[in-house]
Amino acid sequence: MKRPSALATIALDAGGLILSWVLGVLELAPYATIAVIVFMAGDGLRRWYCGLGFPRVWWLFNGLALVLAITDLIVVAWLPAAYEPIPASLVFAVVFALGASGRRPIVQEIAEQRRGAPFPPERHDLRAFFRLYSWIWALYFFIRAGLYLWFAHNLSPERAHALENMIGPVSLFVMIMSSFRGQALFQLAQRAGLLGQRAGLPTPAPDRTRG
């Protein structure tokens, strides 16, 4: 699969989540729930008609978008505005932490979706890398939730909101861009010994597969 097609596929798989984020940035979060439902129904019909199936990544991202949209409605009614971004970050952290376990880490599934083919099953070092990277994503969202909690306790609501709107998108952009440097990150982790003896897994000879 060519790279643009793979990226377009990932964008559709995460369409509900992207839509939820965009509406949140535009201060239209109350409309996110119905928007995500409409998107999931439309894309679900497209997938069914085209025989594309429903990969775990699709259910994860779009289901998560729906949960977040509903959570936002509940949070707005029960929590002060300064605390509103915290539950979303915690939900993401838990999802990535759970996604780090299992036969294939969730980040590996995302990489395979973008790549258009699965990685060789004998590449235990790749699986260890994707598990490690899933934990890094979980840690990122846990730290973000803790930072937002500190803002809520120590800053004025206006100042906290301004910092959240600046730090959240910028840090997320950096994390996403780092994902496109998967091969370099894999080689760095390999040189640091995180995928061999420390991971308790054999390190096979490198191949041309991009991590």
Side-chain angles (χ1 to χ4, degrees):
M1 182 182 292
K2 295 181 180 179
R3 186 179 180 87
S5 298
L7 291 176
T9 299
I10 287 293
L12 283 174
D13 284 343
L17 193 57
I18 295 171
L19 186 61
S20 179
W21 275 337
V22 170
L23 290 175
V25 170
L26 296 176
E27 305 292 339
L28 297 173
Y31 302 98
T33 303
I34 186 64
V36 171
I37 291 174
V38 170
F39 171 83
M40 290 182 68
D43 194 50
L45 286 173
R46 179 187 69 87
R47 286 180 172 278
W48 173 77
Y49 181 78
C50 299
L52 300 176
F54 297 87
R56 189 168 74 127
V57 172
W58 189 89
W59 285 111
L60 172 69
F61 283 129
N62 292 295
L64 181 58
L66 187 58
V67 169
L68 288 174
I70 295 173
T71 300
D72 281 343
L73 293 178
I74 297 173
V75 166
V76 167
W78 291 93
L79 289 179
Y83 291 85
E84 290 176 11
I86 298 173
S89 292
L90 289 176
V91 168
F92 276 108
V94 170
V95 166
F96 276 102
L98 294 176
S101 60
R103 186 173 61 88
R104 287 192 304 167
I106 187 61
V107 173
Q108 179 176 342
E109 291 197 26
I110 296 171
E112 289 175 342
Q113 191 89 346
R114 193 181 74 185
R115 182 172 178 263
F119 293 102
E122 67 275 9
R123 291 299 304 270
H124 302 294
D125 55 342
L126 285 175
R127 188 163 64 249
F129 168 72
F130 286 121
R131 182 168 290 112
L132 173 65
Y133 203 50
S134 296
W135 279 113
I136 290 173
W137 270 98
L139 181 62
Y140 159 73
F141 280 110
F142 273 122
I143 292 174
R144 187 163 130 166
L147 188 62
Y148 287 174
L149 182 61
W150 188 91
F151 288 165
H153 274 281
N154 295 278
L155 303 176
S156 67
E158 296 77 14
R159 179 65 172 165
H161 187 66
L163 286 174
E164 289 162 1
N165 285 344
M166 179 181 67
I167 294 174
V170 171
S171 63
L172 184 61
F173 177 79
V174 171
M175 288 292 293
I176 292 173
M177 288 300 100
S178 70
S179 299
F180 288 92
R181 302 291 297 171
Q183 186 173 11
L185 293 173
F186 169 77
Q187 292 171 349
L188 180 63
Q190 197 173 44
R191 286 196 297 269
L194 299 175
L195 311 180
Q197 293 181 353
R198 294 186 188 179
L201 295 169
T203 303
D207 61 12
R208 296 182 180 178
T209 302
R210 290 192 173 185

